[in-house]
Amino acid sequence: MPKVNQSSRKFIFGKLEARKFIVSDYLYLAGYIIGIMLYVFASKYQPRNIFAISFTVSIICGGQTISSPFGLRFRNVYFSILWLILSLIFLIANYFTALIPLLTFILYHIIRMIFWKKNKREFIPYETGKGQMYRYKSYFEGRYGDLKDKRYTKILLGIGILIILLCFIQTIELKV
């Protein structure tokens, strides 16, 4: 995918742009919807499984947001709105762990806006795994993340892990 000219991009607000979904956008949203549906089903028919499902969905969504370039999807205004709505639906009658997708979503946008303000360009998070950080090339932006992106990825990851731990600790305290 070639680099998109900044002037041809249609920004709506908060440096969010209006653009069509790609196949993977649909797949991620469908996965989140399935996770929410599993939670609703379990809460009605298998109450003993609701904590495990809530925890799993929350860790997958939150972990993906803070440890990979997944958050680049959030610059699409339509994807962000749908993710926000799904995160709010997931919160209904749920544990504190259900806050993880919402809080990591908000955290990503805060980090992204700070990055935009300081660097006048899109934040491209690094991929993290196996104790390492790997540069990611955004084909839409036409560039790899650089050392500034890496520093902000570390901030995103650190605060995101703290959010996950605090939500998990709060849930454990309520269950005990």
Side-chain angles (χ1 to χ4, degrees):
M1 194 180 264
K3 182 177 179 179
V4 176
N5 183 343
Q6 293 289 343
S7 62
S8 69
R9 296 167 88 171
K10 185 179 175 188
F11 292 109
I12 303 294
F13 60 88
K15 297 295 183 191
L16 296 175
E17 53 193 330
R19 63 178 169 82
K20 292 180 181 179
F21 282 177
I22 57 175
V23 173
S24 58
D25 292 339
Y26 289 113
L27 293 174
Y28 281 115
L29 290 170
Y32 198 9
I33 290 168
I34 289 168
I36 293 169
M37 289 171 55
L38 283 172
Y39 177 80
V40 170
F41 174 81
S43 65
K44 188 168 183 136
Y45 299 107
Q46 298 177 339
R48 67 183 185 284
N49 294 330
I50 60 175
F51 176 73
I53 293 170
S54 174
F55 180 75
T56 303
V57 171
S58 295
I59 291 299
I60 290 171
C61 292
Q64 189 75 0
T65 301
I66 65 170
S67 67
S68 74
F70 172 77
L72 286 170
R73 297 171 193 294
F74 294 147
R75 53 174 201 201
N76 180 341
V77 69
Y78 306 120
F79 191 92
S80 280
I81 289 169
L82 286 173
W83 193 266
L84 177 62
I85 290 168
L86 292 173
S87 295
L88 292 172
I89 291 169
F90 189 53
L91 278 174
I92 298 171
N94 209 328
Y95 296 93
F96 271 93
T97 55
L99 280 169
I100 293 170
L102 178 63
L103 294 177
T104 55
F105 168 77
I106 292 168
L107 173 66
Y108 185 88
H109 275 296
I110 290 169
I111 299 283
R112 188 175 165 271
M113 293 309 298
I114 293 169
F115 191 89
W116 257 108
K117 187 168 177 71
K118 289 189 173 194
N119 299 293
K120 307 290 187 247
R121 63 182 170 87
E122 188 63 47
F123 167 52
I124 300 178
Y126 274 52
E127 184 87 38
T128 59
K130 298 182 183 179
Q132 305 246 347
M133 296 183 91
Y134 305 96
R135 287 177 70 189
Y136 176 77
K137 181 175 184 179
S138 169
Y139 291 100
F140 193 76
E141 295 295 323
R143 69 175 185 85
Y144 285 96
D146 61 16
L147 291 177
K148 290 178 185 176
D149 296 288
K150 186 175 186 176
R151 184 172 56 235
Y152 278 78
T153 301
K154 288 178 181 179
I155 294 167
L156 174 66
L157 189 61
I159 297 171
I161 289 171
L162 185 64
I163 287 170
I164 290 170
L165 288 174
L166 290 174
C167 288
F168 185 64
I169 289 169
Q170 187 65 35
T171 300
I172 290 173
E173 287 179 4
L174 287 177
K175 284 191 74 103
V176 174

